[in-house]
């Protein structure tokens, strides 16, 4: 369940200023228009088929968008962390959700009515640029993922995703270590295939893994295994 905290708190203003690279007065305006929510791990933030008229900004924690077929099959389509947005379809007047957004761990997210965000984007260029950059980056990532799903084998997709996560961390260390079942959903494979692939990478000295993290030791060797 979500619980509301003070929507105009000072730290919310600071976080908006950081995530949108805008002036303090603009960040304060955004904070005053937003509702500050917290979610417990595994909580459903936005349900499949729900009507959503808000843009949500991740302030801390991790969340995930997943699609669920009529047969119950699941696929992870997006992951969100601090600074990311979801529900941005509402900016285009698309209010019925075709995905389910769930909290991976404890999440803090600010929600703002889509028409308010549109006004802020029209009034403050920094906000519009920040939103545009994030959506362009997301589109590029989705295109890369689609290409990978089309052209790569299951093990190739696993190698590519581990490399992506390692590079995204900045130091080739994924912490906490990815959960095998979640990684399998993300690359549309099985937990068993992911487990065998990671074990093979460990035996070859390409990665090191313990209960807390997974570190890429041989970045270029891992890259060569993708194709």
């Amino acid at each position: 369940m979500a619980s509301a905290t003070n929507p105009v708190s000072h730290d919310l203003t600071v976080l908006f200023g950081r995530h949108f690279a805008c002036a303090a007065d603009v960040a304060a305006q955004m904070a005053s228009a937003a509702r500050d929510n917290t979610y417990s791990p595994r909580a459903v933030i936005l349900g499949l088929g729900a009507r959503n008229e808000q843009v949500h900004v991740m302030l801390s924690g991790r969340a995930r968008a997943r699609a669920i077929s009529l047969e119950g099959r699941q696929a992870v389509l997006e992951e969100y962390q601090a600074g990311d947005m979801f529900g941005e379809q509402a900016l285009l007047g698309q209010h019925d959700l075709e995905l389910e957004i769930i909290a991976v761990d404890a999440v803090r997210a600010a929600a703002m009515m889509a028409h308010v965000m549109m006004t802020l984007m029209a009034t403050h260029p920094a906000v519009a640029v920040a939103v545009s950059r994030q959506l362009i980056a997301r589109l590029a990532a989705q295109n890369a993922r689609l290409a990978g799903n089309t052209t790569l084998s299951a093990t190739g997709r696993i190698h590519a995703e581990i490399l992506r996560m390692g590079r995204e961390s900045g130091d080739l260390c994924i912490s906490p270590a990815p959960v095998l079942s979640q990684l399998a959903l993300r690359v549309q494979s099985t937990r068993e295939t992911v487990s065998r692939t990671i074990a093979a990478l460990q035996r070859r000295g390409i990665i090191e893994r313990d209960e807390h993290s997974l570190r890429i030791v041989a970045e270029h060797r891992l890259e060569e295994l993708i194709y």
Side-chain angles (χ1 to χ4, degrees):
M1 296 293 292
S3 60
T5 59
N6 182 2
V8 291
S9 60
H10 172 70
D11 68 325
L12 183 57
T13 299
V14 172
L15 288 168
F16 271 123
R18 180 186 308 159
H19 296 325
F20 289 88
C22 57
D25 60 330
V26 177
Q29 185 178 347
M30 297 181 75
S32 66
R35 183 179 180 85
D36 191 356
N37 298 314
T38 57
Y39 301 87
S40 58
R42 296 180 295 279
V44 175
I45 300 175
L46 293 174
L48 181 66
R51 183 169 179 81
N52 173 58
E53 299 180 346
Q54 297 177 316
V55 177
H56 303 256
V57 181
M58 291 285 293
L59 302 175
S60 64
R62 292 180 301 143
R64 176 176 296 136
R66 64 183 182 184
I68 305 174
S69 72
L70 293 176
E71 296 79 20
R73 295 183 59 190
Q74 300 179 15
V76 174
L77 301 184
E78 295 283 350
E79 291 206 346
Y80 311 106
Q81 53 189 353
D84 292 338
M85 295 188 310
F86 58 87
E88 67 277 0
Q89 296 90 341
L91 295 172
L92 302 175
Q94 299 174 3
H95 301 301
D96 295 327
L97 290 177
E98 298 178 352
L99 303 172
E100 180 178 70
I101 312 294
I102 59 171
V104 176
D105 43 33
V107 164
R108 182 184 178 195
M112 186 185 307
M113 295 300 295
H115 68 86
V116 175
M117 177 63 87
M118 288 292 289
T119 299
L120 287 164
M121 291 171 64
T123 308
H124 303 290
V127 177
V129 169
V131 172
S132 299
R133 283 178 172 170
Q134 182 171 141
L135 296 182
I136 290 170
R138 183 175 300 170
L139 178 61
Q142 288 177 340
N143 286 341
R145 190 177 300 115
L146 177 61
N149 288 342
T150 304
T151 62
L152 299 178
S153 65
T155 54
R157 295 196 300 271
I158 296 166
H159 294 151
E161 183 63 14
I162 292 173
L163 183 60
R164 184 197 66 79
M165 294 173 69
R167 286 175 171 170
E168 190 175 79
S169 73
D171 60 359
L172 299 180
C173 183
I174 306 168
S175 181
V179 177
L180 300 186
S181 57
Q182 294 174 359
L183 182 55
L185 280 175
R186 200 176 309 145
V187 300
Q188 299 183 25
S189 184
T190 65
R191 186 188 185 283
E192 292 73 20
T193 300
V194 171
S195 179
R196 287 195 301 269
T197 302
I198 288 180
L201 292 174
Q202 285 181 272
R203 287 195 301 271
R204 299 174 67 174
I206 295 174
I207 65 171
E208 294 178 350
R209 181 171 179 263
D210 57 33
E211 58 184 271
H212 303 295
S213 64
L214 184 154
R215 179 180 296 277
I216 300 172
V217 178
E219 178 182 3
H220 295 300
R221 289 178 63 195
L222 179 58
E223 188 173 24
E224 290 169 355
L225 292 175
I226 294 175
Y227 299 100

